[in-house]
Amino acid sequence: MTNTDEKTVQHMDISVPEEFALRDEVRWLKSEDLSLFRFLRETMNKIEPAYIATYPPSECGIATFTKDLSSAVAKYTPFSKPSILAVKREHEIEPYERVVRFQVFKENKQSYIDAAKYVNDSTIDIVSVQHEFGIYGGDDGEYILDFLEALEKPAVATLHTVLQRPSPNQKRIIQEIGRICECMVVMVRTGREILLNVYDVDPKKATVIPHGVPNVHRVSASSVKRALGIADKKILSTFGLISRGKGIEHVIRAMPMILEKHPNVVYLVLGETHPGVRKHEGESYRNMLAETASELGIEENVRFNNRFLSLNELVRYLCATDVYVTPYLSKDQITSGTLAYALGCGKAICSTPYLYAEEVLADGRGMLVDFESPESIAKTVNNILDNKELKESMETAAYAYGRRAAWFNVAVDYLDLFHRIITREKVKTGAAVEAL
Amino acid sequence: MEMDLQINVRKNGTTRIIDLHGEVDAYTSARFREIMLELIDDGGIDLVINMCKVEYIDSSGLGALVGGLKRVSERNGKIVIVSDGPQIRKVFEITGLEKVFPIYDEEHHAVEAVGVKADS
């Protein structure tokens, strides 16, 4: 986008509101009405969760997820202190927020045991493990098992990757996590089925809680586009940390076929190159995408925004979007934060049929296209843009799903799960997703 | 942005019955709080908040209720909730606020619980 566009959009009141949450209200009461403050402190529930994961300013999806989840949960528990056990490389200095109370050195096995000791000696009630093979040290991130073995408090694992064809070591790790943890959370039913069928996880230990999405109320794309100075354009978009597995080149190759029918379409590729990818191959993937657009003569219709976008910026761009596209290449992908966000904004979505997309876009919430197929993408996008009723019905269905998955609802599901585990109640399997 | 909360007020002596329909969240809770505080300042002593048609309430909605509780407490009033849905009840239960704001399935039970007094 041009600088002019950036300035204009700042004036639009399309942002996720700052909320005066229960936690803020209670803090205010401490100075305004001490007796009511004390009454609430004695009466309300207290759960002190810790989260072991990567954490901002680390740039990765799990770090963002952990911040969103822990913040959302904390809003309901004004008398509890959340803790983050942040996993990082030993030599990196991260300016963490105060909520990070322990730093786990990724490749240092002893650091995981020390983290467990820290939790054991604290008032922490339960640990939420955010699991993805790559974020922990050791082969396939197996050091997380050293943490869990040394932990004397209950733990819940949220699995961000559930492979259908794991290596023997990956399978062992997931099975061990399943054995030690009180419960494993996945974000779609398919993930739970894989856990039961491939990993033989105890069905009583596997539950579904959707990926959280920001609380965004619906707004018409046209009003946002006016503010962006692109009122006459139809917008396709893809956002997130850019890497080769995203398959963005297939959307770019679909563009000429889309432009034939809809010459005013612009495809926005929003977000910077994944830092891990940038370290190894620089901007070669993004350069390839730009070259492809140039070879096709559609540079004006494919625009890149190569930087980290704030939540409000993302929401503005998503609100301006007519069709959101996730052209990802891996069938096994079991979650996608960006797709979840697009659902939350009530967008018409077109996606390749990876496992997460297949499930969350069912029942008219989106349309699936073939992997690596510009023709399939073009046909579907044209269909959505040609058919106003279809587009509106997809948007309405996506939004309804997104409301149930808003972070404030997901936080309640997690708190309910934590509470049940602490009080040793039976975990309701699939409880959250049944409500969708 | 759309404001997805309808608020309707009924008067019963010094009790004000507030019907909420929609979502009580970061977009709508400020307006809910404002109306609640106005009702208390205008002579409402007890509030019955009917949430049977509330789809979701978030922590800002709970915060608004605590703000209202502070104001009614100054007048020895109460706030009680009417809700017959598990989702709303769960939010109060997990926070422990069901011990602060009694929840009733039926509105008439909630009205009885606060005890209607004649408006002066």
Side-chain angles (χ1 to χ4, degrees):
Chain A
M1 306 298 293
T2 65
N3 286 337
T4 314
D5 293 335
E6 292 289 342
K7 275 180 193 161
T8 313
V9 78
Q10 297 302 326
H11 295 292
M12 274 292 290
D13 182 23
I14 297 155
S15 53
V16 179
E18 286 294 323
E19 53 181 296
F20 196 68
L22 179 60
R23 196 175 187 87
D24 308 306
E25 187 77 42
V26 166
R27 277 184 190 159
W28 175 74
L29 272 183
K30 195 174 182 182
S31 58
E32 294 292 318
D33 190 336
L34 195 57
S35 65
L36 182 54
F37 172 83
R38 284 180 177 149
F39 168 67
L40 291 172
R41 190 177 58 191
E42 281 158 26
T43 310
M44 288 185 68
N45 293 341
K46 293 158 199 73
I47 293 182
E48 295 213 356
Y51 305 82
I52 182 165
T54 49
Y55 197 77
S58 288
E59 289 176 20
C60 79
I62 310 273
T64 305
F65 182 95
T66 306
K67 182 175 168 68
D68 288 342
L69 173 62
S70 58
S71 307
V73 167
K75 286 175 184 167
Y76 289 100
T77 53
F79 299 103
S80 304
K81 187 180 77 172
S83 300
I84 305 293
L85 315 171
V87 181
K88 61 181 276 280
R89 291 180 192 283
E90 199 159 354
H91 63 277
E92 286 171 353
I93 298 169
E94 297 279 23
Y96 287 125
E97 295 170 2
R98 213 172 51 173
V99 71
V100 173
R101 305 192 199 279
F102 195 96
Q103 296 187 19
V104 183
F105 300 136
K106 183 181 174 182
E107 297 298 344
N108 181 339
K109 197 171 179 173
Q110 183 59 41
S111 184
Y112 291 79
I113 297 164
D114 294 342
K117 283 181 187 159
Y118 170 81
V119 174
N120 295 343
D121 294 340
S122 72
T123 55
I124 290 165
D125 296 306
I126 189 163
V127 177
S128 169
V129 177
Q130 299 304 317
H131 183 265
E132 208 284 319
F133 293 106
I135 69 169
Y136 299 112
D139 290 344
D140 300 316
E142 65 188 2
Y143 289 172
I144 189 61
L145 297 179
D146 294 279
F147 170 80
L148 288 170
E149 290 285 0
L151 189 68
E152 292 166 4
K153 302 276 176 88
V156 173
T158 300
L159 305 183
H160 294 256
T161 300
V162 186
L163 298 173
Q164 280 185 302
R165 287 168 291 276
S167 69
N169 194 44
Q170 287 168 333
K171 185 171 179 176
R172 177 187 70 87
I173 291 167
I174 296 296
Q175 287 180 322
E176 279 297 286
I177 291 173
R179 184 183 63 78
I180 300 169
C181 288
E182 303 294 324
C183 183
M184 295 171 107
V185 178
V186 285
M187 298 176 208
V188 282
R189 287 191 187 95
T190 313
R192 183 168 184 272
E193 281 163 25
I194 297 170
L195 277 185
L196 306 193
N197 298 332
V198 177
Y199 298 88
D200 302 317
V201 167
D202 179 352
K204 293 195 287 293
K205 280 193 167 188
T207 194
V208 182
I209 298 178
H211 192 298
V213 303
N215 180 14
V216 179
H217 282 206
R218 282 181 88 179
V219 62
S220 79
S222 55
S223 61
V224 191
K225 282 195 271 190
R226 270 196 301 277
L228 283 163
I230 48 172
D232 57 335
K233 305 289 185 196
K234 294 282 182 197
I235 304 295
L236 307 189
S237 70
T238 298
F239 84 85
L241 295 170
I242 306 300
S243 64
R244 285 186 192 277
K246 302 283 182 183
I248 291 165
E249 62 274 26
H250 302 295
V251 186
I252 294 174
R253 291 198 180 280
M255 281 295 286
M257 290 176 270
I258 295 168
L259 289 166
E260 224 171 83
K261 292 192 78 178
H262 302 277
N264 58 343
V265 167
V266 172
Y267 179 39
L268 303 179
V269 181
L270 305 168
E272 62 184 331
T273 299
H274 193 292
V277 172
R278 199 165 46 223
K279 207 175 280 180
H280 293 107
E281 57 170 87
E283 294 290 343
S284 65
Y285 178 59
R286 182 184 299 276
N287 293 339
M288 182 273 277
L289 295 176
E291 277 164 27
T292 305
S294 175
E295 281 164 18
L296 294 168
I298 54 170
E299 304 100 311
E300 286 300 307
N301 301 85
V302 179
R303 301 192 198 172
F304 297 91
N305 194 332
N306 183 16
R307 63 185 178 82
F308 182 80
L309 297 169
S310 70
L311 175 61
N312 280 331
E313 284 175 307
L314 271 181
V315 166
R316 287 182 194 117
Y317 283 125
L318 276 173
C319 286
T321 293
D322 290 287
V323 182
Y324 186 75
V325 192
T326 57
Y328 302 166
L329 303 178
S330 166
K331 173 72 186 171
D332 277 348
Q333 189 163 342
I334 200 69
T335 186
S336 163
T338 74
L339 180 50
Y341 276 34
L343 283 161
C345 291
K347 292 289 110 182
I349 298 166
C350 158
S351 176
T352 48
Y354 53 93
L355 293 175
Y356 181 75
E358 246 180 351
E359 186 167 324
V360 299
L361 298 183
D363 303 324
R365 290 188 291 264
M367 296 185 88
L368 300 174
V369 297
D370 298 335
F371 286 107
E372 302 181 46
S373 172
E375 294 76 16
S376 179
I377 293 169
K379 190 177 164 193
T380 303
V381 169
N382 281 333
N383 186 19
I384 295 169
L385 292 178
D386 282 337
N387 191 336
K388 196 178 167 192
E389 273 180 24
L390 170 71
K391 182 170 176 279
E392 282 176 1
S393 94
M394 288 166 73
E395 289 169 347
T396 302
Y399 185 70
Y401 180 96
R403 294 311 290 160
R404 175 62 189 84
W407 273 117
F408 62 78
N409 279 326
V410 168
V412 170
D413 291 335
Y414 271 92
L415 263 176
D416 187 38
L417 178 64
F418 294 164
H419 185 73
R420 283 169 186 279
I421 287 169
I422 291 167
T423 56
R424 298 290 163 196
E425 284 184 42
K426 190 182 164 198
V427 172
K428 274 200 289 185
T429 51
V433 85
E434 288 307 321
L436 290 173
Chain B
M1 295 284 175
E2 291 173 20
M3 288 296 163
D4 299 335
L5 179 67
Q6 291 168 27
I7 303 174
N8 182 52
V9 179
R10 290 173 284 145
K11 196 173 168 185
N12 187 353
T14 56
T15 299
R16 302 291 179 266
I17 302 166
I18 305 176
D19 297 309
L20 302 178
H21 187 175
E23 300 181 14
V24 191
D25 70 355
Y27 290 89
T28 60
S29 59
R31 193 162 56 94
F32 168 50
R33 174 198 298 264
E34 199 180 310
I35 288 172
M36 206 167 28
L37 297 183
E38 273 173 18
L39 289 172
I40 299 164
D41 291 344
D42 287 349
I45 293 177
D46 299 308
L47 302 182
V48 172
I49 300 178
N50 192 325
M51 294 195 177
C52 289
K53 290 183 176 170
V54 170
E55 284 182 68
Y56 304 119
I57 183 166
D58 76 353
S59 68
S60 68
L62 298 179
L65 282 172
V66 169
L69 179 65
K70 177 188 177 314
R71 194 68 68 90
V72 293
S73 301
E74 291 162 4
R75 292 160 170 75
N76 293 319
K78 294 178 200 151
I79 296 179
V80 298
I81 308 292
V82 184
S83 176
D84 52 7
Q87 181 68 20
I88 301 301
R89 277 183 172 266
K90 188 159 85 172
V91 177
F92 283 87
E93 282 165 13
I94 57 148
T95 52
L97 282 175
E98 95 280 16
K99 291 168 268 178
V100 178
F101 301 103
I103 305 178
Y104 297 88
D105 284 336
E106 306 267 356
E107 185 181 292
H108 66 93
H109 289 145
V111 172
E112 280 167 24
V114 295
V116 176
K117 300 141 198 124
D119 214 348
S120 54

